[in-house]
Amino acid sequence: MKLRFRIPGPLLSFTGGRHVVEAEAASDAATAFTVEAALDQLWRLYPGLRDRVLTEQGQVRPHVNVFVGADSIRDTGGLATPVADHTEIAIIPAVSGGQG
């Protein structure tokens, strides 16, 4: 299974400046491949990213959004969201602030 990850600017120091990371993962046809399994592949390549994206309990941090294609995993099953071959997963930090 081929995966593509989009990495935001604040995390580029952990990927050697790479905005796009491609990874290959073995998948069992009998078991659905998930965002959690996909992210595990990313952590193997760049272990420093894990603690910036996930909490100590292994959940996505509140200020981080993860998208599979155009869909936020907060709306599609969280880390259990299924991932297909050639899927793009984007990690996007939340933006807040502004003038009231």
Side-chain angles (χ1 to χ4, degrees), residues 18-36:
R18 295 179 69 192
H19 284 279
V20 176
V21 173
E22 294 188 355
E24 294 242 3
S27 64
D28 179 1
T31 307
F33 197 76
T34 65
V35 169
E36 183 172 26

Side-chain angles (χ1 to χ4, degrees), residues 87-99:
T87 293
E88 183 170 280
I89 297 172
I91 299 169
I92 301 173
V95 177
S96 63
Q99 192 170 355

Side-chain angles (χ1 to χ4, degrees), residues 75-87:
D75 301 326
T76 59
L79 294 172
T81 298
V83 174
D85 193 20
H86 296 283
T87 293

Side-chain angles (χ1 to χ4, degrees), residues 13-81:
S13 64
F14 297 96
T15 62
R18 295 179 69 192
H19 284 279
V20 176
V21 173
E22 294 188 355
E24 294 242 3
S27 64
D28 179 1
T31 307
F33 197 76
T34 65
V35 169
E36 183 172 26
L39 288 173
D40 283 342
Q41 296 302 314
L42 183 61
W43 311 152
R44 286 189 182 118
L45 295 171
Y46 301 103
L49 285 174
R50 185 187 186 286
D51 291 341
R52 275 61 183 187
V53 176
L54 300 181
T55 65
E56 294 78 16
Q57 294 77 33
Q59 299 302 311
V60 176
R61 291 186 178 280
H63 65 277
V64 175
N65 296 296
V66 178
F67 286 80
V68 174
D71 300 317
S72 170
I73 67 167
R74 295 188 196 282
D75 301 326
T76 59
L79 294 172
T81 298

